[in-house]
Amino acid sequence: CLMLAIGVGYYVWQKPGNAAVAFATATGEQRTLALNDGSHVVLDTNSDLQVQYGKHERRLTLLQGQADFQVHHDTTRPFVVHVGDGTVTATGTRFQVRVAGGIDTVTLLEGQVVVAGNAKPSSSEQVTLHAGERVAIQSDGRLGTPEHLADTELARARGWTEGMLVVREWPLARLVAEMNRYSSVPLRLGDPSLGTLPISGSFKASDQHSFLLSLEYGWPIRIDRHTPGEIVLRHK
């Protein structure tokens, strides 16, 4: 009976407090979540997040997309975001995680977080980020070198949570790829040489029409809408 009681007690202690709850956004959609511990999450377009709170840990898993986390302080229950082959642990802070192309990134806006990578086969490493820093988690679980972000990059990180893309001298190819995340009608570069054209400005991510007008009036770009299912950017 004693052994049975110990076994049941261990199982109850280990068992998560609640089942995981899934949240998702469609193309062009952003969603703000108020979690039951007082934390807030902004989900970007095409994002998929699972949330599971237990007695000893607040566990979240970002399966795809991008999210901004504003964490309610609680030292007894760390806030742990699982992503790819790594984790981000915080007790109270604001940070962002993005899943893209096999390389996940963690950007810290306020406070402090610990980023750990699950490198193969069994080794692991971790770094402590401070406000204004970013680190990449490689597909093999290794961590990149933390970098201090310029003011323009910090403005971009804060801007997307309000639906804005704030860019400075971005190659047009990169900006087009980012805008395509928010639209069901993709943009394509008809002239490959346009890809390196530097673009600066603030653009509403969900307003493709205004973005194209800005390109037409501000840069030597012509908009071609004759191809079904896509919009092609060409030299004037």
Side-chain angles (χ1 to χ4, degrees):
C1 290
L2 178 61
M3 294 300 294
L4 178 62
I6 292 174
V8 171
Y10 179 77
Y11 171 76
V12 171
W13 182 82
Q14 290 280 26
K15 185 179 179 181
N18 299 289
V21 179
F23 301 95
T25 53
T27 299
E29 178 188 9
Q30 288 188 334
R31 184 178 179 185
T32 299
L33 311 174
L35 304 183
N36 60 16
D37 70 327
S39 299
H40 290 81
V41 180
V42 179
L43 279 185
D44 199 11
T45 178
N46 280 329
S47 297
D48 190 350
L49 177 71
Q50 293 183 351
V51 179
Q52 185 175 25
Y53 279 9
K55 295 181 179 180
H56 306 284
E57 178 184 278
R58 296 170 285 175
R59 180 188 179 98
L60 301 91
T61 304
L62 184 63
L63 300 174
Q64 69 177 29
Q66 181 172 225
D68 177 280
F69 301 93
Q70 297 188 54
V71 181
H72 179 73
H73 186 73
D74 185 350
T75 56
T76 63
R77 282 197 309 169
F79 189 98
V80 183
V81 177
H82 294 254
V83 54
D85 285 304
T87 59
V88 187
T89 303
T91 54
T93 187
R94 181 184 176 189
F95 63 96
Q96 298 178 352
V97 180
R98 177 167 179 165
V99 178
I103 299 180
D104 308 323
T105 55
V106 181
T107 303
L108 182 60
L109 299 179
E110 300 172 9
Q112 182 175 291
V113 297
V114 175
V115 181
N118 302 321
K120 306 297 188 296
S122 60
S123 62
S124 63
E125 56 181 331
Q126 66 180 38
V127 297
T128 299
L129 289 186
H130 301 279
E133 293 183 336
R134 174 180 292 161
V135 70
I137 304 174
Q138 308 293 334
S139 58
D140 61 359
R142 297 185 182 277
L143 300 180
T145 301
E147 59 175 324
H148 188 78
L149 300 179
D151 290 342
T152 52
E153 278 297 297
L154 290 174
R156 186 182 74 83
R158 294 186 174 94
W160 76 256
T161 63
E162 300 175 357
M164 299 298 296
L165 295 180
V166 182
V167 302
R168 182 177 180 183
E169 296 187 350
W170 271 29
L172 180 58
R174 180 184 178 188
L175 182 54
V176 164
E178 192 69 12
M179 286 294 297
N180 280 344
R181 296 178 59 239
Y182 297 88
S183 177
S184 58
V185 180
L187 306 178
R188 180 173 64 83
L189 299 181
D191 298 314
S193 60
L194 279 175
T196 58
L197 183 66
I199 306 293
S200 298
S202 297
F203 309 97
K204 188 173 182 179
S206 61
D207 190 349
Q208 187 185 75
H209 178 69
S210 295
F211 172 68
L212 293 175
L213 286 177
S214 297
L215 292 184
E216 280 190 305
Y217 285 101
W219 289 270
I221 296 172
R222 177 172 59 88
I223 309 303
D224 181 355
R225 294 181 172 85
H226 294 93
T227 305
E230 65 178 6
I231 298 173
V232 182
L233 309 185
R234 305 186 187 278
H235 270 296
K236 283 185 177 179

